[in-house]
Amino acid sequence: MSSTQFDGDIDSFVSYLKSNRGLSANTLKAYRADLTACLHLFELRGVTDLNEITLDDLRSWMAVESRDHARSSMARKTVAVRGFFAWAYEHGLTTTDPAATLMTPSIPSTLPAVLTESQAEQLLDVAEHAVATNQYKDDGGAAAAPGSGKAAGKTADKSADTVNRSEAPARADKRDNARVTAESQRNAAILELLYATGIRVAELVSMDIADIDFSNRIIKVTGKGNKQRVVPFGLPAQRALETWLEQGRPVLARTATDAVKSRAANALFLGARGGRIDQRIARDIVHRAAREAGVPDISPHALRHSAATHMLDGGADLREVQEMLGHSSLKTTQRYTHVSIEQLKNRYGQAFPRA
């Protein structure tokens, strides 16, 4: 990232946002990068004072940036620049606010991708089946031991040396089988929770065990801007979570080093090495499950869209869905009503003889 003579002002603005707006670290990082790039361009043009920047200059900057960035990115950049100059004016760094009338680029309204209810059921059924298929019980190998029945006598005749040589691979197989089972249980719990609650993937991976209240079947979610909300979940999600916590999580926790184990001691979901699971792995879990279930490829966010749409289809109130999803604006939630209408139109076209 290029540095500018305005870095001190940018730092002050970002600190102000962090203290007063509660924006996420990723948003603050993006705003800092946007402002640095913008002011660096003006510095290259010979600008040495924020008061020299005019509305026409800002429009020229937008024209340059829009060549290489999508409208959604330009909308964010414009918000960052407009917020910066409003702050600079309020704090006496500038005598005017040149960005006051800077227009945010309009973003085309696109309907979010969603699964049908039957596809969502299929996705979760396949995940549940994977748990049952990979279920492994450490019963000393009795269930799958080749040395049972008639073969037992032959096995007993083997030398002690042969038995000792086979113990290490057998233990390794047990560990591998236990890990595969644990990961299947974790994946099923992740899919159930994402669909049951509509939470974001970032919210999922940051959850701690203490955030779950099984007695009331609710979870505490920390969303954007560190805003907290309470979201209910159903019985299938409860069963999947309990199985993961009681059986799967201890297996993956044992693979962690002491340092990793201490950092992830409270984490709800763990990765293969026992640390807190990251967003990339969570996304991979959803994509892989969609492929295995034979449903359209979706992301965790699409599963969130699906949950919201199915709730509205089932008669949920729009504001209830807004609260559940943690949307600050009802307008964001209203997109899902359009999805429901589009699905109704498609079903109508397929089923009605005079459509």
Side-chain angles (χ1 to χ4, degrees), residues 316-332:
D317 181 80
L318 193 61
R319 289 202 175 274
E320 293 172 345
V321 176
Q322 177 193 6
E323 184 175 342
M324 173 178 152
L325 297 180
H327 287 155
S328 57
S329 169
L330 189 63
K331 182 178 180 182
T332 306

Side-chain angles (χ1 to χ4, degrees), residues 94-114:
T94 60
T95 56
T96 61
D97 179 2
T101 57
L102 192 66
M103 299 297 292
T104 304
S106 60
I107 303 175
S109 179
T110 57
L111 296 179
V114 296

Side-chain angles (χ1 to χ4, degrees), residues 222-300:
T222 302
K224 292 183 177 180
N226 288 324
K227 294 179 181 177
Q228 291 191 336
R229 64 187 190 277
V230 173
V231 182
F233 59 88
L235 186 58
Q238 177 180 350
R239 289 171 177 162
L241 283 168
E242 287 175 338
T243 299
W244 155 245
L245 289 173
E246 294 169 7
Q247 302 177 26
R249 191 183 185 282
V251 172
L252 296 189
R254 284 198 294 269
T255 67
T257 62
D258 290 340
V260 171
K261 190 176 295 185
S262 63
R263 289 196 300 270
N266 301 319
L268 174 59
F269 291 112
L270 304 179
R273 296 182 180 179
R276 184 183 291 273
I277 198 170
D278 62 31
Q279 293 190 36
R280 180 182 62 82
I281 298 300
R283 290 191 182 95
D284 287 345
I285 288 169
V286 176
H287 286 300
R288 187 168 65 249
R291 288 196 302 271
E292 293 172 355
V295 301
D297 185 29
I298 57 166
S299 65

Side-chain angles (χ1 to χ4, degrees), residues 21-300:
R21 300 287 181 83
L23 300 180
S24 70
N26 286 337
T27 300
L28 294 174
K29 183 179 178 181
Y31 278 15
R32 184 188 293 277
D34 295 337
L35 290 169
T36 300
C38 174
L39 296 179
H40 179 64
L41 176 64
F42 292 133
E43 191 176 53
L44 292 176
R45 294 177 179 179
V47 172
T48 59
D49 189 326
L50 291 175
N51 283 297
E52 299 175 33
I53 299 174
T54 66
L55 177 60
D56 285 341
D57 290 330
L58 292 174
R59 286 172 174 165
S60 172
W61 159 75
M62 287 185 66
V64 171
E65 288 287 299
S66 61
R67 297 171 189 166
D68 303 315
H69 295 90
R71 284 194 174 189
S72 56
S73 296
M74 287 307 303
R76 187 202 64 224
K77 291 174 183 291
T78 305
V79 169
V81 168
R82 201 164 55 207
F84 172 75
F85 279 100
W87 168 85
Y89 176 62
E90 290 172 3
H91 289 75
L93 274 68
T94 60
T95 56
T96 61
D97 179 2
T101 57
L102 192 66
M103 299 297 292
T104 304
S106 60
I107 303 175
S109 179
T110 57
L111 296 179
V114 296
L115 297 178
T116 64
E117 291 185 31
S118 61
Q119 287 171 339
E121 287 285 340
Q122 185 175 341
L123 176 72
L124 298 173
D125 285 347
V126 168
E128 185 178 345
H129 177 70
V131 172
T133 302
N134 293 324
Q135 192 66 41
Y136 176 79
K137 296 180 180 179
D138 188 3
D139 55 4
S148 58
K150 294 180 180 178
K154 295 180 180 179
T155 303
D157 291 337
K158 290 183 178 180
S159 67
D161 184 54
T162 303
V163 174
N164 289 336
R165 284 201 304 270
S166 67
E167 283 179 355
R171 285 195 297 269
D173 287 344
K174 286 181 180 180
R175 287 195 298 270
D176 288 343
N177 288 335
R179 179 183 55 78
V180 169
T181 297
E183 290 182 356
S184 296
Q185 292 165 342
R186 178 201 62 193
N187 297 351
I190 284 176
L191 290 165
E192 286 283 3
L193 193 61
L194 284 173
Y195 180 63
T197 62
I199 59 176
R200 302 175 179 94
V201 67
E203 296 167 344
L204 174 93
V205 301
S206 66
M207 286 188 66
D208 291 333
I209 298 173
D211 293 329
I212 305 176
D213 180 351
F214 284 108
S215 60
N216 293 305
R217 218 179 285 161
I218 56 175
I219 57 171
K220 183 177 69 176
V221 183
T222 302
K224 292 183 177 180
N226 288 324
K227 294 179 181 177
Q228 291 191 336
R229 64 187 190 277
V230 173
V231 182
F233 59 88
L235 186 58
Q238 177 180 350
R239 289 171 177 162
L241 283 168
E242 287 175 338
T243 299
W244 155 245
L245 289 173
E246 294 169 7
Q247 302 177 26
R249 191 183 185 282
V251 172
L252 296 189
R254 284 198 294 269
T255 67
T257 62
D258 290 340
V260 171
K261 190 176 295 185
S262 63
R263 289 196 300 270
N266 301 319
L268 174 59
F269 291 112
L270 304 179
R273 296 182 180 179
R276 184 183 291 273
I277 198 170
D278 62 31
Q279 293 190 36
R280 180 182 62 82
I281 298 300
R283 290 191 182 95
D284 287 345
I285 288 169
V286 176
H287 286 300
R288 187 168 65 249
R291 288 196 302 271
E292 293 172 355
V295 301
D297 185 29
I298 57 166
S299 65

